[in-house]
Amino acid sequence: MINIQQDILPEKERPIGVFDSGIGGLTVVRSIINKLPKEHIVYFGDTARVPYGPKSAEVVRTYAKEDTDILLKHNVKLIVVACNTVSSVALDVVQKNSPVPVIGVIEPAAGIAAHTSKSKRVGVIGTLGTIASCAYTSEIRHHDPDITIEGQPCPLFVPLAEEGWDNHDATRLVAREYLAPLIEKGIDTLVLGCTHYPILKDIIAEVTGPAVTLIDSADSTADAVLHLLQSKGLLRNNDIPPEYVFYVSDVPHKFREIGERFLGRELRNVEKIGNIHIT
Amino acid sequence: MINIQQDILPEKERPIGVFDSGIGGLTVVRSIINKLPKEHIVYFGDTARVPYGPKSAEVVRTYAKEDTDILLKHNVKLIVVACNTVSSVALDVVQKNSPVPVIGVIEPAAGIAAHTSKSKRVGVIGTLGTIASCAYTSEIRHHDPDITIEGQPCPLFVPLAEEGWDNHDATRLVAREYLAPLIEKGIDTLVLGCTHYPILKDIIAEVTGPAVTLIDSADSTADAVLHLLQSKGLLRNNDIPPEYVFYVSDVPHKFREIGERFLGRELRNVEKIGNIHIT
């Protein structure tokens, strides 16, 4: 195994850093691996403090700063904030503290949503923090001020995805309850504004019907990573297979089972780091 | 307002300390207020790190030690661990670090469950951490080794209770899915082994039917508090109305709405304390 984190590596060879509040960000890693199969990746999931979604912006900003510092210690060439809540309320904190480029999950998905909608009505689903921040609303309106955005927090989708109930009638009922108000308002585009939601994509599509296009923030973020590395000449171009290293602040119950479902492959090279304290 | 936390107060006048991973413990506070209406109460909810349920025992033990220290700073005469996960995997940590008596939520409910069951089959529902620990199993068998205990983690019940979906068909479907294996095994007693579950008591009772007795760990814990204070001569006997003070490590989204549903009354005297860091 090569040491992808040594600081004498040429910039192209340095890993992409990805962090999330927990394991949801592994859906973003999965998309990055698909689109950029030669890149090394270092992931940090703050599983000892997960979830960030219901927590206050103040607390999320403190956590985001610390998560950034952890990735920077691992010599990353780029930071991907694979957490919609952090991208919504603390992207500026990450950018301010990072000497390397930063990509959040909001901007890429917002741009695609703005260009996809014909009815000029876009739905956004996410955590309480993401929806309360109106970050998607601002970003989408930045592309097209005539678009109306309908936000809907869906707190039950995260635990349903973690339970693996991706084809369960309870999930169907929950999805109908959350999505009915958006469908009534005539949306033709729906942003899956949380990294857990791609797991429930089939059921969400079933409820919204074929007239609504789903925008997966994981896929659009991976595209943005590709474009950014290309434009900066930082794509790794080496046929030695890449390394993936996963750091977590806790190894919670069912970690491997849930993680592998999200990552879509075997989860290896997992290491617990960090100790959480209250002062 | 009297200062209930000053250390010159006579022991009887000192507050009962209650802590939980978040706001679920407010159902225990509600039961304590009902049964001991003269007692002062200081509550700490670790809302910046909630939930503890899916996290590893190692992490929960670290957090439990710190939560204990916070209550001890407030001059409590007794500590109530109003969190089933902490009571399951870290009660010894709290006891070891506390000079005042400690009551967890497991032992009181386990005792009542053991004496209630005629079929000698008791169901226990709780978080992943609580069920994995087998703490209820050990406690119930301590009372009656002939009882068979059927444990079932119910991770979706916490977010459903926080959504306030206490009479929703999705909750009914989830409850049926979780409880069917317990009912099939012939349980006649079911321990609600998580402080959030009393919110869903009606739907749980509807699914289990009248042949199954529900044991609410909040109520049995309040009884244990009453007995312990009585036996030690520490009951407050003062007609000046008691004070309730609520400390939290974060003020998350929907905090007041959810908290008041759990507490069953207006939530006043709430103060954010503490800062969480990773080292």
Side-chain angles (χ1 to χ4, degrees):
Chain A
M1 182 173 160
I2 48 172
N3 181 358
I4 59 171
Q5 298 162 45
Q6 55 187 340
D7 56 11
I8 52 160
L9 279 179
E11 203 171 357
K12 282 182 182 182
E13 283 290 323
R14 283 159 57 192
I16 296 173
V18 182
F19 81 84
D20 178 46
S21 57
I23 50 188
L26 293 176
T27 61
V28 177
V29 173
R30 179 186 198 158
S31 292
I32 294 175
I33 291 175
N34 286 341
K35 287 189 200 275
L36 297 106
K38 292 187 172 179
E39 297 295 328
H40 298 304
I41 298 174
V42 172
Y43 182 87
F44 175 64
D46 193 10
T47 41
R49 301 189 286 196
V50 73
Y52 291 1
K55 286 163 191 160
S56 71
E58 182 196 351
V59 153
V60 172
R61 290 170 71 83
T62 309
Y63 294 178
K65 160 82 169 66
E66 296 178 342
D67 300 340
T68 304
D69 291 344
I70 287 171
L71 282 185
L72 289 173
K73 276 184 203 151
H74 292 94
N75 198 35
V76 297
K77 64 181 170 186
L78 165 73
I79 289 181
V80 179
V81 182
C83 173
N84 278 269
T85 307
V86 174
S87 299
S88 294
V89 305
L91 196 67
D92 60 316
V93 173
V94 183
Q95 284 165 331
K96 199 184 143 200
N97 287 282
S98 170
V100 300
V102 173
I103 289 182
V105 285
I106 309 288
E107 204 183 311
I112 291 175
H115 292 104
T116 302
S117 180
K118 303 269 183 291
S119 70
K120 302 282 180 196
R121 286 191 175 261
V122 172
V124 177
I125 54 177
T127 64
L128 289 162
T130 297
I131 300 305
S133 76
C134 292
Y136 274 106
T137 304
S138 313
E139 265 314 317
I140 293 171
R141 289 223 175 107
H142 178 72
H143 287 272
D144 184 344
D146 293 331
I147 293 180
T148 303
I149 292 96
E150 307 289 347
Q152 173 68 47
C154 303
L156 285 162
F157 278 178
V158 167
L160 284 165
E162 296 201 347
E163 274 289 66
W165 289 16
D166 52 4
N167 188 23
H168 193 289
D169 281 340
T171 311
R172 238 165 236 116
L173 276 182
V174 172
R176 273 184 216 138
E177 176 94 15
Y178 284 147
L179 301 174
L182 303 181
I183 296 167
E184 272 167 32
K185 279 169 182 156
I187 63 159
D188 67 349
T189 306
L190 179 66
V191 179
L192 308 184
C194 172
T195 50
H196 277 65
Y197 298 177
I199 302 291
L200 306 179
K201 209 171 183 174
D202 290 347
I203 253 177
I204 293 170
E206 186 188 309
V207 171
T208 56
V212 176
T213 304
L214 303 187
I215 310 292
D216 179 341
S217 61
D219 282 345
S220 32
T221 301
D223 283 329
V225 171
L226 174 60
H227 296 146
L228 189 130
L229 291 183
Q230 244 165 3
S231 72
K232 292 196 178 285
L234 284 178
L235 280 172
R236 179 170 180 258
N237 188 12
N238 187 326
D239 289 329
I240 298 169
E243 299 287 337
Y244 306 128
V245 185
F246 301 94
Y247 295 108
V248 288
S249 49
D250 184 29
V251 183
H253 295 274
K254 294 173 74 180
F255 171 73
R256 194 161 293 273
E257 177 194 333
I258 300 173
E260 294 190 346
R261 190 183 315 135
F262 280 46
L263 187 62
R265 61 166 64 201
E266 198 189 343
L267 196 49
R268 284 185 300 183
N269 294 341
V270 177
E271 192 184 326
K272 184 196 168 292
I273 56 167
N275 292 299
I276 312 287
H277 294 293
I278 190 168
T279 53
Chain B
M1 182 172 160
I2 49 171
N3 181 357
I4 58 171
Q5 297 163 44
Q6 56 186 341
D7 57 11
I8 53 162
L9 279 179
E11 203 171 357
K12 282 183 182 182
E13 283 290 323
R14 283 159 55 191
I16 296 173
V18 182
F19 81 84
D20 178 44
S21 57
I23 50 188
L26 294 176
T27 60
V28 177
V29 173
R30 179 185 198 159
S31 292
I32 294 175
I33 291 175
N34 285 341
K35 287 189 199 276
L36 297 106
K38 292 186 172 178
E39 297 295 329
H40 298 304
I41 298 174
V42 172
Y43 182 87
F44 175 63
D46 192 9
T47 42
R49 300 189 287 195
V50 74
Y52 291 0
K55 286 164 191 159
S56 71
E58 182 196 351
V59 153
V60 172
R61 289 170 72 83
T62 309
Y63 294 178
K65 160 83 170 64
E66 296 178 342
D67 300 341
T68 304
D69 291 344
I70 287 171
L71 282 185
L72 289 173
K73 276 184 203 152
H74 292 94
N75 198 35
V76 297
K77 64 181 171 186
L78 165 73
I79 288 180
V80 179
V81 182
C83 173
N84 277 269
T85 307
V86 174
S87 299
S88 294
V89 304
L91 196 66
D92 59 317
V93 173
V94 183
Q95 284 167 330
K96 198 183 142 201
N97 287 283
S98 170
V100 301
V102 174
I103 288 182
V105 285
I106 309 287
E107 203 183 312
I112 291 174
H115 292 104
T116 302
S117 180
K118 302 270 184 290
S119 71
K120 303 283 180 196
R121 286 192 174 262
V122 171
V124 177
I125 54 177
T127 64
L128 289 162
T130 297
I131 300 304
S133 76
C134 293
Y136 274 106
T137 303
S138 313
E139 264 317 316
I140 293 172
R141 288 223 175 109
H142 178 71
H143 287 273
D144 184 343
D146 293 333
I147 293 180
T148 304
I149 293 96
E150 307 289 348
Q152 172 69 48
C154 302
L156 285 162
F157 278 178
V158 166
L160 284 164
E162 295 201 346
E163 275 289 67
W165 288 17
D166 52 4
N167 188 23
H168 193 290
D169 281 340
T171 311
R172 240 167 234 113
L173 275 182
V174 172
R176 273 185 216 139
E177 176 94 15
Y178 285 148
L179 302 174
L182 304 181
I183 297 167
E184 271 167 33
K185 279 171 181 154
I187 63 158
D188 67 349
T189 307
L190 179 65
V191 178
L192 307 183
C194 172
T195 51
H196 276 65
Y197 298 176
I199 302 291
L200 305 179
K201 209 171 184 175
D202 290 349
I203 254 178
I204 293 170
E206 187 188 308
V207 171
T208 56
V212 176
T213 305
L214 303 187
I215 309 292
D216 179 341
S217 60
D219 283 344
S220 32
T221 301
D223 283 329
V225 171
L226 174 60
H227 296 147
L228 188 131
L229 292 182
Q230 244 167 0
S231 72
K232 293 196 178 284
L234 284 178
L235 280 172
R236 179 169 180 260
N237 188 13
N238 188 326
D239 289 328
I240 299 170
E243 298 287 338
Y244 306 128
V245 185
F246 301 93
Y247 295 108
V248 287
S249 49
D250 184 30
V251 182
H253 295 274
K254 295 172 74 179
F255 171 73
R256 194 162 293 274
E257 178 193 332
I258 300 174
E260 295 190 345
R261 190 183 315 136
F262 281 46
L263 187 63
R265 60 166 64 201
E266 199 188 343
L267 195 49
R268 283 185 300 183
N269 295 340
V270 177
E271 192 184 325
K272 184 197 169 293
I273 56 167
N275 292 299
I276 312 288
H277 294 294
I278 189 167
T279 53

